[in-house]
Amino acid sequence: MKTMLNYIMRMAAVVVGFGILASSCGDSSRQEILKVYNWGDYIDEELLTEFEAWYEEQTGCPVTVVYQTFDINEVMLAKIEKGEADFDVVCPSEYIIERMMRHDLLQPIVTEEFLRDLAKTETENYFGFVSPYIVNQFDHIIAPDGHNPNDYSVGYMWGTTGILYNMEYVTREEALSWDLMFDERLEGKILVKDAFRDVYSPMLVYATTVELREAGVLGEDDTLPLNDAEAAERGLDGTVPTIEGLMYDASDGSIAHVEEYLKRMKRLVAGWEADFGKEMMTQNKAWINLMWSGDAVWAIEEAADVDVSLDYVVPEEGSVVWFDGWVIPKYAKNPRAARYFINYMCMPENAVRNMDATGYVSVVGASETLDAMEMLNPVLAEIESLTAELAQCTDMEKAAELEESLAEKVAERDDIVAMGASDLSYFFKNEDGTPLCFIDEDGYEVRADSVYVDPILYPDIEVIGRCAMMHDSGEQTDKMLEMWSRVKGDNLSPTMLIFIIVSFVTLLVWGVWRKVDNYRKQQMMLKRRHHAQRKPQK
């Protein structure tokens, strides 16, 4: 009887245990699945598997990530709007986040319930590592009254829109103005990103600037103020529009205005490209390309391997700073895992890995992120190590190898110094608002207001001072799309069509090569970091 009683009590405990587990993890198998919808080639996919283990470790609940990708914002949105897609976390661009909020398609990410859940599971809240600059930009997202955009979206990656140019045929000074897109000598050598918003906004800023200069309202080299504060400081408030203000402008008159300029440009344009522009630039088939900063970095690196010199700038008249962010659809079936996933992506070490894998820039403004992107200090540490090793080397053959390596590192150091330091104090800040400053593992000081980084990935404060975020054009979207269709028409030459077909075939081969090459580069980067970590601090 006693044995039977013990058996019953044990079974009751098991039932209660399952009940508790079901209440925390969900009583449906769907609670063990997290469906993520992201851009292609936009994450370190090893993190997906690692998240599964981390989530179960933190919460005690198993989860399997089902990962799918998209290439166009509007395609993703259409699936969400029609209720045809079952996703828990999605990564749209800023203007799509606006549209999703306007149509009540999202649920909040940062909630009191979630914060209590983090405390209960003793999981660190990594949302605080998102740069204050990004948080401030997301505050500009248009949202219904009473809704804070930063509660419904968390940044992921960001960048600028500018001009990628071939340094053999175009000077940096020429590329620093959108005038270049109308240069007659470049006929047939100009590519434009087939993304109407990324073209519309810069062209509206440019057209407005040109006409205000011609009218004498602005000086010959003057540009529009970024915002109302700058306009007041320059004595231009109420006199000229601001760059930020024009990002909201999708009026009929402005659409017609931009169409006029784009039709003037059209005769010079070789093609409106979605992805083939990078290859055309690396192969000298085109000399300039209106494109995104992340794609520009990829093209510059690939072109260097075939001795083609490319560079990228943001024209001085002004341009776009764009953002992609994580959101949770309103009808997500596993919002708890979705919130933990977004939190996991904000972990500094994961942000660095995603940057290494994608070539784009994370919104995370932690010291770990800045340290990983700092270019000069690792080279200085290697020079110091090689110098010390050379001083103790008695083998002449080995000493010659060390001297050669040392000379290469010194040349690399000189190139980095010649590039100049960037002021990233707007992005990397301490809690009191002062520029982030710390000592890295090699004992070198890292200051956010004077740091050596890739200026394309992390624009200097002067460059970011002429860039503003795009916004959804609402009911005017269809009119903008119609304008874009009229402008593009069919101006591809037979030669260009053949090249595009060949490029797509080539891409299949390049895709495999890129995967292998990216893996090799990542392994080399990891080895350099591990080597630096093994050195004693000063």
PDB file of all heavy atoms in Angstrom, residues 453-474:
ATOM      1  N   VAL A 453      38.783  53.584 -38.162  1.00  0.00           N
ATOM      2  CA  VAL A 453      37.848  52.556 -38.621  1.00  0.00           C
ATOM      3  C   VAL A 453      37.625  52.750 -40.113  1.00  0.00           C
ATOM      4  O   VAL A 453      38.044  53.764 -40.691  1.00  0.00           O
ATOM      5  CB  VAL A 453      36.495  52.643 -37.882  1.00  0.00           C
ATOM      6  CG1 VAL A 453      36.652  52.380 -36.396  1.00  0.00           C
ATOM      7  CG2 VAL A 453      35.839  54.004 -38.110  1.00  0.00           C
ATOM      8  N   ASP A 454      36.960  51.796 -40.735  1.00  0.00           N
ATOM      9  CA  ASP A 454      36.577  51.956 -42.136  1.00  0.00           C
ATOM     10  C   ASP A 454      35.545  53.075 -42.220  1.00  0.00           C
ATOM     11  O   ASP A 454      34.437  52.945 -41.697  1.00  0.00           O
ATOM     12  CB  ASP A 454      35.982  50.644 -42.665  1.00  0.00           C
ATOM     13  CG  ASP A 454      35.724  50.686 -44.153  1.00  0.00           C
ATOM     14  OD1 ASP A 454      35.445  51.773 -44.685  1.00  0.00           O
ATOM     15  OD2 ASP A 454      35.765  49.624 -44.794  1.00  0.00           O
ATOM     16  N   PRO A 455      35.865  54.202 -42.872  1.00  0.00           N
ATOM     17  CA  PRO A 455      34.938  55.341 -42.897  1.00  0.00           C
ATOM     18  C   PRO A 455      33.680  55.101 -43.710  1.00  0.00           C
ATOM     19  O   PRO A 455      32.731  55.895 -43.617  1.00  0.00           O
ATOM     20  CB  PRO A 455      35.789  56.464 -43.509  1.00  0.00           C
ATOM     21  CG  PRO A 455      36.801  55.745 -44.349  1.00  0.00           C
ATOM     22  CD  PRO A 455      37.108  54.475 -43.606  1.00  0.00           C
ATOM     23  N   ILE A 456      33.679  54.030 -44.502  1.00  0.00           N
ATOM     24  CA  ILE A 456      32.458  53.702 -45.246  1.00  0.00           C
ATOM     25  C   ILE A 456      31.461  53.018 -44.316  1.00  0.00           C
ATOM     26  O   ILE A 456      30.267  53.328 -44.317  1.00  0.00           O
ATOM     27  CB  ILE A 456      32.775  52.806 -46.454  1.00  0.00           C
ATOM     28  CG1 ILE A 456      33.745  53.519 -47.396  1.00  0.00           C
ATOM     29  CG2 ILE A 456      31.494  52.419 -47.193  1.00  0.00           C
ATOM     30  CD1 ILE A 456      34.220  52.659 -48.554  1.00  0.00           C
ATOM     31  N   LEU A 457      31.960  52.104 -43.510  1.00  0.00           N
ATOM     32  CA  LEU A 457      31.083  51.405 -42.576  1.00  0.00           C
ATOM     33  C   LEU A 457      30.608  52.337 -41.469  1.00  0.00           C
ATOM     34  O   LEU A 457      29.417  52.361 -41.128  1.00  0.00           O
ATOM     35  CB  LEU A 457      31.819  50.210 -41.977  1.00  0.00           C
ATOM     36  CG  LEU A 457      32.151  49.070 -42.942  1.00  0.00           C
ATOM     37  CD1 LEU A 457      32.982  48.013 -42.235  1.00  0.00           C
ATOM     38  CD2 LEU A 457      30.880  48.453 -43.507  1.00  0.00           C
ATOM     39  N   TYR A 458      31.534  53.087 -40.907  1.00  0.00           N
ATOM     40  CA  TYR A 458      31.196  54.026 -39.828  1.00  0.00           C
ATOM     41  C   TYR A 458      31.481  55.450 -40.303  1.00  0.00           C
ATOM     42  O   TYR A 458      32.613  55.927 -40.218  1.00  0.00           O
ATOM     43  CB  TYR A 458      32.023  53.728 -38.578  1.00  0.00           C
ATOM     44  CG  TYR A 458      31.543  52.556 -37.768  1.00  0.00           C
ATOM     45  CD1 TYR A 458      32.255  51.366 -37.753  1.00  0.00           C
ATOM     46  CD2 TYR A 458      30.379  52.634 -37.003  1.00  0.00           C
ATOM     47  CE1 TYR A 458      31.834  50.276 -36.995  1.00  0.00           C
ATOM     48  CE2 TYR A 458      29.940  51.555 -36.248  1.00  0.00           C
ATOM     49  CZ  TYR A 458      30.676  50.386 -36.251  1.00  0.00           C
ATOM     50  OH  TYR A 458      30.243  49.316 -35.504  1.00  0.00           O
ATOM     51  N   PRO A 459      30.480  56.171 -40.807  1.00  0.00           N
ATOM     52  CA  PRO A 459      30.708  57.532 -41.313  1.00  0.00           C
ATOM     53  C   PRO A 459      31.136  58.479 -40.190  1.00  0.00           C
ATOM     54  O   PRO A 459      30.656  58.380 -39.060  1.00  0.00           O
ATOM     55  CB  PRO A 459      29.338  57.948 -41.867  1.00  0.00           C
ATOM     56  CG  PRO A 459      28.500  56.726 -41.886  1.00  0.00           C
ATOM     57  CD  PRO A 459      29.079  55.757 -40.926  1.00  0.00           C
ATOM     58  N   ASP A 460      32.034  59.389 -40.530  1.00  0.00           N
ATOM     59  CA  ASP A 460      32.446  60.422 -39.594  1.00  0.00           C
ATOM     60  C   ASP A 460      31.254  61.305 -39.232  1.00  0.00           C
ATOM     61  O   ASP A 460      30.274  61.392 -39.986  1.00  0.00           O
ATOM     62  CB  ASP A 460      33.550  61.266 -40.240  1.00  0.00           C
ATOM     63  CG  ASP A 460      34.098  62.325 -39.316  1.00  0.00           C
ATOM     64  OD1 ASP A 460      34.970  62.000 -38.493  1.00  0.00           O
ATOM     65  OD2 ASP A 460      33.645  63.485 -39.416  1.00  0.00           O
ATOM     66  N   ILE A 461      31.340  61.972 -38.089  1.00  0.00           N
ATOM     67  CA  ILE A 461      30.244  62.827 -37.627  1.00  0.00           C
ATOM     68  C   ILE A 461      29.903  63.906 -38.655  1.00  0.00           C
ATOM     69  O   ILE A 461      28.746  64.324 -38.778  1.00  0.00           O
ATOM     70  CB  ILE A 461      30.608  63.464 -36.266  1.00  0.00           C
ATOM     71  CG1 ILE A 461      29.366  64.099 -35.629  1.00  0.00           C
ATOM     72  CG2 ILE A 461      31.763  64.454 -36.405  1.00  0.00           C
ATOM     73  CD1 ILE A 461      29.600  64.539 -34.195  1.00  0.00           C
ATOM     74  N   GLU A 462      30.904  64.342 -39.423  1.00  0.00           N
ATOM     75  CA  GLU A 462      30.658  65.360 -40.452  1.00  0.00           C
ATOM     76  C   GLU A 462      29.800  64.796 -41.577  1.00  0.00           C
ATOM     77  O   GLU A 462      28.923  65.472 -42.105  1.00  0.00           O
ATOM     78  CB  GLU A 462      32.007  65.860 -40.984  1.00  0.00           C
ATOM     79  CG  GLU A 462      31.913  66.963 -42.020  1.00  0.00           C
ATOM     80  CD  GLU A 462      31.843  66.434 -43.452  1.00  0.00           C
ATOM     81  OE1 GLU A 462      32.391  65.333 -43.695  1.00  0.00           O
ATOM     82  OE2 GLU A 462      31.240  67.102 -44.309  1.00  0.00           O
ATOM     83  N   VAL A 463      30.029  63.533 -41.936  1.00  0.00           N
ATOM     84  CA  VAL A 463      29.248  62.892 -43.000  1.00  0.00           C
ATOM     85  C   VAL A 463      27.830  62.610 -42.521  1.00  0.00           C
ATOM     86  O   VAL A 463      26.844  62.887 -43.223  1.00  0.00           O
ATOM     87  CB  VAL A 463      29.925  61.593 -43.461  1.00  0.00           C
ATOM     88  CG1 VAL A 463      29.049  60.858 -44.471  1.00  0.00           C
ATOM     89  CG2 VAL A 463      31.289  61.887 -44.064  1.00  0.00           C
ATOM     90  N   ILE A 464      27.713  62.070 -41.311  1.00  0.00           N
ATOM     91  CA  ILE A 464      26.383  61.734 -40.797  1.00  0.00           C
ATOM     92  C   ILE A 464      25.557  62.993 -40.582  1.00  0.00           C
ATOM     93  O   ILE A 464      24.323  62.948 -40.541  1.00  0.00           O
ATOM     94  CB  ILE A 464      26.506  60.922 -39.480  1.00  0.00           C
ATOM     95  CG1 ILE A 464      25.315  59.959 -39.343  1.00  0.00           C
ATOM     96  CG2 ILE A 464      26.609  61.801 -38.266  1.00  0.00           C
ATOM     97  CD1 ILE A 464      25.294  58.852 -40.361  1.00  0.00           C
ATOM     98  N   GLY A 465      26.237  64.142 -40.496  1.00  0.00           N
ATOM     99  CA  GLY A 465      25.543  65.419 -40.311  1.00  0.00           C
ATOM    100  C   GLY A 465      24.809  65.885 -41.547  1.00  0.00           C
ATOM    101  O   GLY A 465      24.124  66.917 -41.507  1.00  0.00           O
ATOM    102  N   ARG A 466      24.922  65.156 -42.655  1.00  0.00           N
ATOM    103  CA  ARG A 466      24.159  65.510 -43.855  1.00  0.00           C
ATOM    104  C   ARG A 466      23.290  64.347 -44.340  1.00  0.00           C
ATOM    105  O   ARG A 466      22.896  64.304 -45.511  1.00  0.00           O
ATOM    106  CB  ARG A 466      25.102  65.976 -44.965  1.00  0.00           C
ATOM    107  CG  ARG A 466      26.193  65.000 -45.385  1.00  0.00           C
ATOM    108  CD  ARG A 466      27.015  65.594 -46.518  1.00  0.00           C
ATOM    109  NE  ARG A 466      28.057  64.720 -47.019  1.00  0.00           N
ATOM    110  CZ  ARG A 466      29.324  64.759 -46.649  1.00  0.00           C
ATOM    111  NH1 ARG A 466      29.694  65.640 -45.731  1.00  0.00           N
ATOM    112  NH2 ARG A 466      30.220  63.940 -47.182  1.00  0.00           N
ATOM    113  N   CYS A 467      23.010  63.407 -43.454  1.00  0.00           N
ATOM    114  CA  CYS A 467      22.197  62.241 -43.800  1.00  0.00           C
ATOM    115  C   CYS A 467      20.976  62.158 -42.894  1.00  0.00           C
ATOM    116  O   CYS A 467      21.070  62.385 -41.687  1.00  0.00           O
ATOM    117  CB  CYS A 467      23.002  60.948 -43.662  1.00  0.00           C
ATOM    118  SG  CYS A 467      24.398  60.818 -44.800  1.00  0.00           S
ATOM    119  N   ALA A 468      19.844  61.799 -43.465  1.00  0.00           N
ATOM    120  CA  ALA A 468      18.611  61.678 -42.691  1.00  0.00           C
ATOM    121  C   ALA A 468      17.868  60.410 -43.085  1.00  0.00           C
ATOM    122  O   ALA A 468      18.096  59.842 -44.156  1.00  0.00           O
ATOM    123  CB  ALA A 468      17.716  62.901 -42.908  1.00  0.00           C
ATOM    124  N   MET A 469      16.972  59.985 -42.215  1.00  0.00           N
ATOM    125  CA  MET A 469      16.232  58.738 -42.398  1.00  0.00           C
ATOM    126  C   MET A 469      15.021  58.925 -43.317  1.00  0.00           C
ATOM    127  O   MET A 469      14.308  59.921 -43.225  1.00  0.00           O
ATOM    128  CB  MET A 469      15.755  58.224 -41.035  1.00  0.00           C
ATOM    129  CG  MET A 469      15.028  56.895 -41.084  1.00  0.00           C
ATOM    130  SD  MET A 469      14.559  56.321 -39.427  1.00  0.00           S
ATOM    131  CE  MET A 469      13.217  57.453 -39.054  1.00  0.00           C
ATOM    132  N   MET A 470      14.804  57.959 -44.202  1.00  0.00           N
ATOM    133  CA  MET A 470      13.630  57.973 -45.073  1.00  0.00           C
ATOM    134  C   MET A 470      12.369  57.628 -44.287  1.00  0.00           C
ATOM    135  O   MET A 470      12.430  57.042 -43.208  1.00  0.00           O
ATOM    136  CB  MET A 470      13.787  56.948 -46.198  1.00  0.00           C
ATOM    137  CG  MET A 470      14.889  57.226 -47.170  1.00  0.00           C
ATOM    138  SD  MET A 470      14.906  55.995 -48.508  1.00  0.00           S
ATOM    139  CE  MET A 470      15.240  54.488 -47.584  1.00  0.00           C
ATOM    140  N   HIS A 471      11.225  57.971 -44.876  1.00  0.00           N
ATOM    141  CA  HIS A 471       9.948  57.654 -44.242  1.00  0.00           C
ATOM    142  C   HIS A 471       8.993  57.045 -45.265  1.00  0.00           C
ATOM    143  O   HIS A 471       9.156  57.223 -46.473  1.00  0.00           O
ATOM    144  CB  HIS A 471       9.329  58.912 -43.629  1.00  0.00           C
ATOM    145  CG  HIS A 471      10.141  59.473 -42.507  1.00  0.00           C
ATOM    146  ND1 HIS A 471      10.037  59.016 -41.218  1.00  0.00           N
ATOM    147  CD2 HIS A 471      11.097  60.440 -42.498  1.00  0.00           C
ATOM    148  CE1 HIS A 471      10.879  59.681 -40.453  1.00  0.00           C
ATOM    149  NE2 HIS A 471      11.540  60.538 -41.206  1.00  0.00           N
ATOM    150  N   ASP A 472       8.010  56.352 -44.760  1.00  0.00           N
ATOM    151  CA  ASP A 472       6.995  55.750 -45.622  1.00  0.00           C
ATOM    152  C   ASP A 472       6.177  56.852 -46.283  1.00  0.00           C
ATOM    153  O   ASP A 472       5.819  57.850 -45.644  1.00  0.00           O
ATOM    154  CB  ASP A 472       6.095  54.838 -44.791  1.00  0.00           C
ATOM    155  CG  ASP A 472       5.030  54.164 -45.623  1.00  0.00           C
ATOM    156  OD1 ASP A 472       5.337  53.770 -46.764  1.00  0.00           O
ATOM    157  OD2 ASP A 472       3.889  54.040 -45.144  1.00  0.00           O
ATOM    158  N   SER A 473       5.870  56.685 -47.545  1.00  0.00           N
ATOM    159  CA  SER A 473       5.116  57.701 -48.279  1.00  0.00           C
ATOM    160  C   SER A 473       3.617  57.467 -48.240  1.00  0.00           C
ATOM    161  O   SER A 473       2.851  58.163 -48.921  1.00  0.00           O
ATOM    162  CB  SER A 473       5.601  57.773 -49.730  1.00  0.00           C
ATOM    163  OG  SER A 473       5.630  56.489 -50.310  1.00  0.00           O
ATOM    164  N   GLY A 474       3.177  56.468 -47.472  1.00  0.00           N
ATOM    165  CA  GLY A 474       1.744  56.269 -47.252  1.00  0.00           C
ATOM    166  C   GLY A 474       0.959  56.078 -48.532  1.00  0.00           C
ATOM    167  O   GLY A 474       1.332  55.280 -49.405  1.00  0.00           O
TER     168      GLY A 474
END
